[in-house]
Amino acid sequence: MFAELLQYMLSGLTIGAIYALAGLGFSIIYNASHVINFAQGEFIMIGGMASATLTASGVPLPLAILIGCGGAMLVGVLVAKFAVERARNASTVTLIIITIGASIFLRGVAELVWGKDFKRLDAFSGETPIQLMGASMQPQSLWVVGCAAVLIVAIGLFFNRTLTGKAMLATSHNRLAAQLVGIDVKRVVLASFALSAALGAIGGAVVAPITFSYTEMGIMLGLKGFTAAVLGGLGHGPGAVAGGLIVGVAEALGAGYLSSAYKDAVAFVIILAVLLFMPNGLFGKRGTERV
Amino acid sequence: MRNRLLSTMAAMVGLALGAMAGTASAADPIKVGAIVSATGPASFLGDPEKKVLELYADRINQAGGVAGRPVQLTVYDDGGAADKAASFTKRLIESDKVDVIVGGTTTAATMAAVPLVERAEVPFISLAGAVVIVEPVKKWVFKTPHTDRMAAEKVMEDMKARGLTKLALISEDSGFGKSGREQTVAVAKERGIELVADETYGAKDTDVTAQLTKIRNNAAAQAVLVFGLGQGPAVVTKNYRQLGIALPLYQSHGVASKEFIRLAGGAAEGVRLPAAGLVVAAQLAAEDPQKKVVTEFTKVYEEAFSSEVSTFAGHAYDGLMIALDAVRRAGGTDKAKLRDAIEQTKGYVGTGGIVTMSPKDHMGLTLDAFHMVEVKQGDWALVK
């Protein structure tokens, strides 16, 4: 009984950690530009695909992840520069639609570059399951949760301790005022895309041994990440992390105790309920401030 | 403003989620139309299918065509969307005026095309698996792949031989998995196998330990059957080993490609599944009638694309060959005669098995077409 619950919790936390990283990516970009970047899932895909294909051709794993990360950051900056920035004066909804377009475009390009089949990436430290009070987990799960935790802490430090981070925070609070005190808002937007892309790409690389990578892996992960971000309150970093973990665990419990047929429905029922009854999410500030 | 934005976002999440009888002269091309899912989620099926159709149309034309007439192939990619499959079928019938249609990679795409070909009276050979395509028999619709019902029967036959009678089922919530689930439930009843668990998972799920934990805690289960396509079954297999479940694991014919072994890695060892002769070409006995066909096809395919042959590629080959063979026997492309000739296909040795169709059977394969294989040391091994 307890072992069962523990198993569901472990599964939920593993996948929840990835949702949290994706959700954090949504929040960072939302803060800097008020854009919901639906190409976030594609950053995850780029990280996963690059590390899987590069290691398959003999590149050492850390280098492969680094290259994937760099590639994703470059793509993120290009999306910001050539798709989002050019439409700066368009409404937010238009910008969101642009990011959906960008995500479809990126999937298409990835299909040309990497092909359509699934890629396998070996687990970082073997596949012998770890037994824990009757439940078992793959060692890779620890990598996923650990990497997510390190990245989340690093992002927190970056925003609160560095000048660039503080500039990004300032932009999120008041764009005009930030501009007036000399912050280059355009660069902040670019940096936010690069940062989100890096988060996504690392997430994609650590999760690839569990999920396999393929060009469409980002769609569902992106949507779940969005759910996480909305649940936590858009633009609220720790909220997105909590949201991701909640969605992951809710899914696992739903599949375990209700019916596995409703697994994905759980996430989307959550998002509908949040949008209807708590549009500011669990931790978000009141929306009236940000019109 | 913000509320409007949110409702728009909610909407976006929602989003994100007459044939003409021509008078054919000898040099008129035989117009073969095809709809396959070369891109999209079913691309691992549709992409090899498309390649095979193009490759063999070329080869046949270089060899002088069929009865002196060249083959003109028109392929459309439905991207895995049934509505697109329907509109491309319409285009094949109305603007391209094809003589016969091969395709419908997925069951959903096939079923979307069926009413159109039935109305326009164009022979249609589907490449999809579900039994609903040919049962009940539709006058103009045929198919080449084995059905999910056959896979379920083969698995339960093997279970019986091992003295197992209680099966736990975990199926994918895709068209293939759903149909497979229905057939498994039906076949289990007929064969006296008790279904003790009935779980599902999403085609894109990355973790199914929750469902498998339920099965592990089910003391009655003696064997587990997974019904799915693509990477899902590989995820299930990995999670299955992770949880240390010791019951025999069966998969459907939907994973009968090397891709599955590659993805699941060591976890695939010991998995049993029904597969066509094509995947075990080298291990077939020399006197097996399929031996020559599948060895030849494997060689041609692997030389042309330098990738491993899959059963799905074989289905497309069989579809094209049955169609062209029927054109030869019908002495032309008159649609009614062509349809009759396809229905009279007898003893055609293909990659999927030996096909003998009849007015009651528009697939023409028997259970013998399946071989039970087990994964051993990263390769398929025939279960004797």
Side-chain angles (χ1 to χ4, degrees), chain A residues 236-252:
Chain A
H236 192 279
V241 174
L245 296 176
I246 292 173
V247 172
V249 170
E251 266 185 17

Side-chain angles (χ1 to χ4, degrees), chain B residues 12 18 22 27 32 48-49 55 74 114 207 351:
Chain B
M12 273 169 191
V32 178
E49 287 169 2
L55 174 70
T74 314
V114 163
D207 182 289
T351 62

Side-chain angles (χ1 to χ4, degrees), chain A residues 4 11 116 120 138 209 214 260, chain B residues 38 200 209 217 238 242 263:
Chain A
E4 203 177 84
S11 307
K116 296 164 194 153
R120 178 189 160 85
Q138 297 175 33
Y214 51 105
S260 39
Chain B
T200 60
T209 46
N217 294 348
K238 284 177 83 169
Q242 176 200 334
L263 287 176

